[in-house]
Amino acid sequence: MNRALTVHDLVIAGIAVVAGLLAAFLLRMLLRWLGRHADRTRWSGDDVIVDALRTVVPWAAFLGGAASAGAALPLTRTVQNHVNQVLTVLFILVVTVTAARVIAGLVRTVTSSRSGVAGSATIFVNITRVLVLAIGFLVVLQTLGISIAPLLTALGVGGLAVALALQDTLANLFAGIHILASKTVQPGDYIQLSSGEEGYVEDINWRQTTVRALSNNLVVIPNGELARSNMTNYMRPEQQMTILVQVGVAYDSDLDHVERVTMDVIGEVMRDVSGAVPEHEPAIRFHTFGDSRIGFTVILGVGEFSDQFWIKHEFIKALHKRYREEGIRIPAPARTVALQQGSVMIPHQRGAEGTGAEAGLEAGTEAGETYPHPAGPSRD
């Protein structure tokens, strides 16, 4: 248009902008109302969709009002094209960011609803978000009149150099995808590596796996190292597990009586202590004629890995108390120490409890070892 700008044109443009802002406000209020209703449903996907619409719809209304205002003004064709192009790019960017959020949220919702997929693992969410943003960026370039064919060709050629420069990063990325796809490790699992690291898996992202140790510290492990390491997963194939408690009784004990008393204690602990598995059938297995005792193993069932510490604690306390009531002895190891003073050998036998110099001597020797007594300065 070649005509001059008038007050009427400004009024029409202002009305269009205000109408766009008012529509954006009303639509946002409507979507907020829909969001409260979506919170009451069991499916979390509608929350993601309504939250995304709460962003894109008001922006679309505002940009529509701005486009109407631009059309009402007597702008030249070149300026009008630039205005429309800018508004279109803004709309594409808003839609792209919103779509990335919606799709990433839906992926997180789907993965969290399936037991075999890592719900809190961000690697799938991050990959989905990056792909959507990359597509939106290419659409923006095409809208601006920039040909994306040379860009794709350059990316294809330069991808080789990037792959060589980022081979460790790419190795961790594909290792994380392989770990999740093979379902060997999922967030929430308790794992232990051959290198000694252990704890609950918090998250698996595009580069690393975060493990929370029982001390509440975070251990960060690169996905490549995790894929190459020998690993024990205490949550697979099932969360419940068995633990072994080693016990020993004196040689003069009635082993049938010991077994009955121990089974009674096991029943009480399995019934009263949280984390135990009462339906798991316990077992007692005598296995060793030791130096001072007959050793046996008690096999208990626990709900998951960290429950074993509390169950062992309560079981040992209850078993010790019951053994004292029943007169069942848990003997302390006996040790014979020979003390040499001059040319005289003095055999000395003590139990496990010793004090002072004798206890220190026993801690450093094995049964039957001979220690020379240091001779003081001699006088002629």
Side-chain angles (χ1 to χ4, degrees):
M1 296 182 182
N2 296 324
R3 65 183 180 84
L5 182 64
T6 63
V7 177
H8 181 267
D9 296 330
L10 293 176
V11 171
I12 296 298
I15 292 175
V17 172
V18 171
L21 289 173
L22 181 60
F25 176 77
L26 294 177
L27 289 172
R28 188 170 181 82
M29 292 296 102
L30 175 62
L31 290 170
R32 183 174 298 177
W33 177 79
L34 291 176
R36 288 195 296 268
H37 284 274
D39 291 337
R40 302 172 185 172
T41 62
R42 298 179 58 184
W43 185 50
S44 58
D46 53 357
D47 300 332
V48 176
I49 295 174
V50 171
D51 183 64
L53 292 176
R54 192 184 301 174
T55 301
V56 67
V57 171
W59 272 99
F62 170 72
L63 293 176
S68 301
L73 295 174
L75 304 176
T76 63
R77 180 172 299 178
T78 303
V79 175
Q80 185 71 41
N81 290 335
H82 287 318
V83 171
N84 292 336
Q85 196 174 49
V86 170
L87 294 176
T88 303
V89 169
L90 289 176
F91 183 73
I92 292 174
L93 290 176
V94 172
V95 171
T96 300
V97 173
T98 305
R101 184 191 303 176
V102 171
I103 297 176
L106 291 177
V107 169
R108 184 182 292 109
T109 300
V110 172
T111 54
S112 62
S113 63
R114 299 179 61 184
S115 59
V117 184
S120 62
T122 59
I123 184 170
F124 294 129
V125 176
N126 290 336
I127 291 176
T128 303
R129 185 181 290 115
V130 168
L131 288 177
V132 174
L133 292 176
I135 294 174
F137 176 71
L138 294 177
V139 173
V140 168
L141 293 181
Q142 192 71 27
T143 303
L144 294 175
I146 302 174
S147 178
I148 63 175
L151 178 62
L152 295 177
T153 303
L155 289 177
V157 175
L160 297 176
V162 173
L164 292 176
L166 301 177
Q167 54 181 336
D168 292 339
T169 301
L170 293 177
N172 289 327
L173 172 62
F174 289 111
I177 296 175
H178 169 72
I179 290 171
L180 292 175
S182 61
K183 301 179 184 180
T184 56
V185 179
Q186 304 293 330
D189 292 351
Y190 192 95
I191 63 173
Q192 183 180 38
L193 304 184
S194 58
S195 55
E197 295 87 355
E198 62 178 288
Y200 288 97
V201 178
E202 289 283 314
D203 189 25
I204 303 175
N205 58 30
W206 62 274
R207 183 182 180 275
Q208 62 202 17
T209 298
T210 304
V211 175
R212 183 177 296 277
L214 293 179
S215 59
N216 208 30
N217 298 321
L218 291 180
V219 181
V220 179
I221 306 170
N223 292 332
E225 296 294 331
L226 183 64
R228 289 191 297 268
S229 176
N230 295 329
M231 177 184 59
T232 302
N233 191 334
Y234 290 97
M235 299 294 190
R236 308 276 170 180
E238 60 182 14
Q239 186 172 335
Q240 295 183 0
M241 57 179 291
T242 57
I243 59 173
L244 307 179
V245 181
Q246 304 299 329
V247 190
V249 295
Y251 273 93
D252 58 358
S253 302
D254 183 352
L255 297 186
D256 291 332
H257 180 59
V258 169
E259 187 172 4
R260 287 193 298 270
V261 171
T262 306
M263 290 297 293
D264 291 341
V265 175
I266 293 174
E268 295 174 2
V269 172
M270 292 293 102
R271 183 179 59 253
D272 299 335
V273 179
S274 62
V277 183
E279 59 271 14
H280 179 272
E281 184 176 356
I284 299 175
R285 297 294 182 264
F286 293 94
H287 55 72
T288 304
F289 289 102
D291 293 336
S292 58
R293 66 184 68 187
I294 297 177
F296 62 93
T297 300
V298 179
I299 305 174
L300 306 175
V302 299
E304 58 107 0
F305 183 84
S306 62
D307 293 334
Q308 63 175 306
F309 306 105
W310 177 247
I311 293 173
K312 283 183 179 180
H313 169 80
E314 293 295 327
F315 174 71
I316 291 175
K317 286 200 310 181
L319 189 65
H320 182 263
K321 179 180 179 181
R322 185 68 182 277
Y323 277 6
R324 292 185 64 181
E325 295 174 353
E326 298 289 338
I328 301 174
R329 292 192 306 112
I330 303 177
R335 182 174 296 175
T336 301
V337 180
L339 302 178
Q340 180 178 2
Q341 185 171 5
S343 59
V344 180
M345 299 290 293
I346 305 175
H348 186 63
Q349 182 172 356
R350 290 182 58 86
E353 55 279 344
T355 60
E358 292 177 339
L361 181 61
E362 285 186 328
T365 111
E366 296 293 337
E369 289 189 350
T370 301
Y371 279 77
H373 189 280
S378 62
R379 293 185 179 179
D380 295 335

